[in-house]
Amino acid sequence: MFIRLVHFSLVFLCGYLVIKWISIPHPYVLTDFFVGIVINPIQFFAAAIALFIGILISGGVINGIINKTIKTWKKQSSCSILMLLEYCGFGIVFFLLFYIGWEETLIFFSLSFLYGMISVEN
């Protein structure tokens, strides 16, 4: 469970860094977004690395949760409190990041969910 807590902390940290380092102007103008990338390329590169690492970690967490759920449905293991805590922990991280920046969070978790679904082996 300690490993999952570290994973949730890293997902939150990477998601927070992506939200703070990639600025989406309101009202959204594509040229303003690209100008921000050109003016601050190091910040954008760091945000891209944080996004990549966060997607890998959260995709692994999603993969593990999906595999445990499939095993529970197939009656190969029992539903445990730890599985419920993983669902709650992932939901808490999602809602905290959603409160900070909803556009970046939707992109972050959509890509993570796709990666986690692709890597399921059952």
Side-chain angles (χ1 to χ4, degrees):
M1 189 62 194
F2 178 72
I3 298 295
R4 287 293 183 205
L5 189 61
V6 170
H7 286 164
F8 290 145
S9 300
L10 288 174
V11 167
F12 179 77
L13 177 68
C14 289
Y16 181 77
L17 291 176
V18 167
I19 290 169
K20 291 301 175 186
W21 286 342
I22 295 179
S23 63
I24 297 178
H26 294 284
Y28 183 74
V29 178
L30 188 61
T31 56
D32 292 343
F33 179 73
F34 285 132
V35 167
I37 291 172
V38 171
I39 291 174
N40 297 319
I42 295 175
Q43 185 177 359
F44 178 74
F45 184 68
I49 290 174
L51 179 70
F52 181 72
I53 292 171
I55 287 172
L56 288 178
I57 295 171
S58 62
V61 171
I62 290 171
N63 184 9
I65 289 173
I66 290 172
N67 283 334
K68 286 182 184 178
T69 304
I70 289 172
K71 286 180 184 177
T72 302
W73 281 347
K74 289 182 178 179
K75 304 291 183 191
Q76 294 175 355
S77 68
S78 64
C79 185
S80 67
I81 226 42
L82 293 177
M83 194 165 100
L84 180 65
L85 287 175
E86 286 183 21
Y87 277 114
C88 289
F90 203 70
I92 288 170
V93 168
F94 174 75
F95 284 115
L96 286 174
L97 289 174
F98 192 82
Y99 181 72
I100 296 170
W102 68 274
E103 296 103 343
E104 297 92 347
T105 302
L106 284 178
I107 293 169
F108 181 73
F109 279 104
S110 297
L111 293 173
S112 299
F113 187 72
L114 285 174
Y115 177 70
M117 290 294 293
I118 288 171
S119 60
V120 172
E121 296 179 0
N122 288 333

